[in-house]
Amino acid sequence: MGRLFGTDGVRGVANRELTPQLAFRLGRAGAWVLGKNKERPCVLIGKDTRASGDMLEDALSAGVLSMGGDVVKAGVLPTPAVAYLVRHWKADAGAVISASHNPYEYNGIKFFNGEGYKLDDAIEEEIEAIVLGEKEPGEPAEGGGLGRCRDAAEAAAEEYIAYLKETAGVRLDGMKLAADCANGAASLVAPRLFRELGAELTVLSAAPDGVNINRDCGSTHPEALQRAVREQGAALGLAFDGDADRLMAVDETGEIVDGDKMICICAGKLKRDGRLPGNRVTATVMSNLGFHKAVEAMGCTVDVTQVGDRYVLESMRKTGSAIGGEQSGHIIFLEHSTTGDGMLSALQLLAAVKEGGGSLKALADPITIYPQVLKNAAVRNENKKKYAEHPGIVRAMAAMEEAMAGEGRILIRPSGTEPLVRVMLEGSDIHKITGLAEELAALITRELG
């Protein structure tokens, strides 16, 4: 990836690494690159609930305005809402100020193009070159050419909720649900959405104070939601992350239903509805072996990509796949959205549950999720990618695959930031795969460390 942009925008500790000065430069460069050939480009900006959001929003806006671009402030809003509204309101670009599931002291800035898609690497590199002073943008605006800023937070939330209701295809009247909003961007929108569709809703973690986003709540900490579902007798629970682009679900007994299972359930409904082109489902290399077996049992095939929702989307656009995603709960329904959307995913899951008789557990339990074991092998940095060419390591991996007899698999991934190779084994016997993972990690360290 680039020097500033990671797999999902520019991130860092707010006011230390992600400073107002950097946000200003990003706004200036983003307006120039994404608004080329526009006399007055329009950039839509949304944010989550972090205390640093106001500071970075104003700095980013100032950068856009200084280049003669207009800014529409959409307020606190889920990331996928910005992706939708960029298209719906015909803006030239969108920006989201959020660090997703990270703690409150972090923040991030990511851009969408005018079609609501995350930026290609080449576009990010052009923005980086300007930010780092390696390339000059056009002249800054002056006088009447400076951009203008308007607040559209109320209208943005209304439009997004209306859009989600149109995609739902289902009413939730009388259905008892629990929703954990992670004290984040879902806090305003989610309660309104599900109640307007008729659900009887218990809401958790929807009182953001600027520093409690993701703190012991949301998709990465579903324990309170699990208790609430059991105590309230809810049909299921829904947990969002800080910017509400991912979803984790909880069945009526309080058991977690992860992204792999949700994708299987929703893909099954799409297939029954005749809305699964080519019977294809898209997932990453980290998707569970049980996921693959369940999808194949439905008569479908899995297209496998690198880890990261941008790679999932790239594959889906090439193949025409209607659904794809990750274990973490980033799920893309390409018929409706250009990015992962936790609330849209929740509505699609709820539609499948209602069609199946109202029990998420009954839909999720037949999908076997195999145990996974992850071990790190310490290696020299220059050797991180040499495991695939080492005869001894290749032979050992082949022998292990044969020993698991189709009931397990090996995945090896070099760390992007550390002198490590990550060894993941997956299989039906947790004790067996733990021993094999330890053995393979030790071999890699011995040969390449």
Side-chain angles (χ1 to χ4, degrees):
M1 299 304 299
R3 295 155 290 174
L4 293 174
F5 286 90
T7 55
D8 204 21
V10 179
R11 288 195 186 177
V13 176
N15 215 27
R16 183 196 306 165
E17 296 159 339
L18 183 52
T19 62
Q21 293 85 351
L22 177 54
F24 174 84
R25 294 198 300 271
L26 284 165
R28 183 170 171 263
W32 171 251
V33 172
L34 297 170
K36 282 179 180 175
N37 305 316
K38 297 282 185 176
E39 183 177 344
R40 189 176 286 274
C42 177
V43 180
L44 178 74
I45 299 178
K47 60 185 176 181
D48 67 20
T49 57
R50 295 163 208 270
S52 58
D54 291 349
M55 172 188 74
L56 294 171
E57 178 188 44
D58 284 346
L60 184 69
S61 298
V64 174
L65 300 172
S66 75
M67 297 303 293
D70 289 339
V71 169
V72 177
K73 290 186 175 181
V76 172
L77 209 61
T79 288
V82 173
Y84 166 71
L85 290 169
V86 164
R87 304 190 312 275
H88 185 64
W89 283 350
K90 296 181 171 57
D92 298 297
V96 178
I97 301 166
S98 173
S100 187
H101 59 282
N102 292 132
Y104 81 93
E105 60 266 28
Y106 290 85
N107 217 324
I109 295 173
K110 56 188 164 188
F111 289 102
F112 292 95
N113 66 21
E115 296 178 321
Y117 291 106
K118 292 178 182 177
L119 305 186
D120 295 336
D121 289 348
I123 301 296
E124 288 186 345
E125 287 166 7
E126 188 175 1
I127 291 173
E128 282 186 345
I130 293 172
V131 171
L132 297 174
E134 299 167 355
K135 180 178 179 179
E136 285 298 319
E139 291 296 318
E142 294 181 359
L146 290 165
R148 306 295 173 88
C149 188
R150 68 182 176 91
D151 188 300
E154 187 174 339
E158 293 284 350
E159 292 274 12
Y160 179 56
I161 290 170
Y163 148 75
L164 287 171
K165 288 163 71 175
E166 286 177 8
T167 71
V170 65
R171 290 284 307 174
L172 305 176
D173 300 284
M175 198 172 192
K176 187 178 285 189
L177 303 176
D180 186 331
C181 299
N183 292 313
S187 298
L188 170 66
V189 175
R192 283 187 53 189
L193 171 67
F194 296 117
R195 284 173 176 151
E196 287 179 17
L197 286 170
E200 181 183 333
L201 188 68
T202 297
V203 180
L204 288 75
S205 302
D209 62 9
V211 298
N212 62 359
I213 187 170
N214 299 317
R215 184 193 293 163
D216 300 322
C217 59
S219 61
T220 53
H221 297 282
E223 297 82 10
L225 180 65
Q226 291 173 284
R227 289 194 300 272
V229 167
R230 289 191 291 262
E231 291 168 3
Q232 299 294 325
L236 57 89
L238 304 164
F240 305 100
D241 66 336
D243 69 335
D245 66 350
R246 74 169 70 177
L247 168 73
M248 292 297 264
V250 173
D251 73 17
E252 59 267 34
T253 68
E255 289 297 311
I256 299 293
V257 178
D258 70 3
D260 279 351
K261 287 195 172 188
M262 288 188 287
I263 293 168
C264 286
I265 292 167
C266 292
K269 175 166 171 47
L270 288 173
K271 187 172 187 287
R272 292 189 296 275
D273 292 346
R275 294 161 50 213
L276 193 66
N279 291 333
R280 311 177 78 103
V281 178
T282 308
T284 76
V285 293
M286 293 302 292
S287 287
N288 196 272
L289 179 61
F291 165 86
H292 286 266
K293 290 180 177 288
V295 171
E296 289 162 7
M298 290 192 299
C300 300
T301 57
V302 181
D303 296 320
V304 179
T305 77
Q306 298 179 58
V307 173
D309 63 331
R310 65 186 295 164
Y311 301 112
V312 172
L313 177 62
E314 181 181 313
S315 174
M316 292 174 71
R317 294 180 71 188
K318 287 179 180 175
T319 66
S321 172
I323 183 171
E326 303 181 275
Q327 279 179 321
S328 61
H330 279 115
I331 306 175
I332 301 171
F333 292 86
L334 199 55
E335 178 184 357
H336 299 298
S337 182
T338 58
T339 189
D341 187 329
M343 274 174 277
L344 192 153
S345 298
L347 293 175
Q348 298 298 311
L349 180 67
L350 287 163
V353 169
K354 289 206 73 171
E355 180 185 84
S359 169
L360 177 56
K361 183 176 179 61
L363 296 178
D365 276 1
I367 305 165
T368 300
I369 296 298
Y370 286 64
Q372 292 179 331
V373 174
L374 181 66
K375 299 293 179 181
N376 289 329
V379 300
R380 292 195 300 276
N381 210 47
E382 64 271 20
N383 288 343
K384 285 196 297 188
K385 297 183 180 180
K386 292 184 178 178
Y387 61 88
E389 304 165 1
H390 190 286
I393 295 171
V394 171
R395 281 196 301 271
M397 290 172 62
M400 290 178 184
E401 293 270 13
E402 186 176 350
M404 290 187 285
E407 290 299 309
R409 67 176 182 132
I410 300 169
L411 177 66
I412 299 183
R413 296 173 61 220
S415 169
T417 56
E418 300 173 271
L420 297 173
V421 170
R422 306 195 191 283
V423 177
M424 191 273 282
L425 262 74
E426 189 174 76
S428 55
D429 186 332
I430 184 67
H431 300 294
K432 183 175 183 178
I433 63 172
T434 299
L436 291 174
E438 290 172 347
E439 180 185 334
L440 184 55
L443 173 64
I444 293 172
T445 294
R446 189 164 60 248
E447 297 297 326
L448 301 178

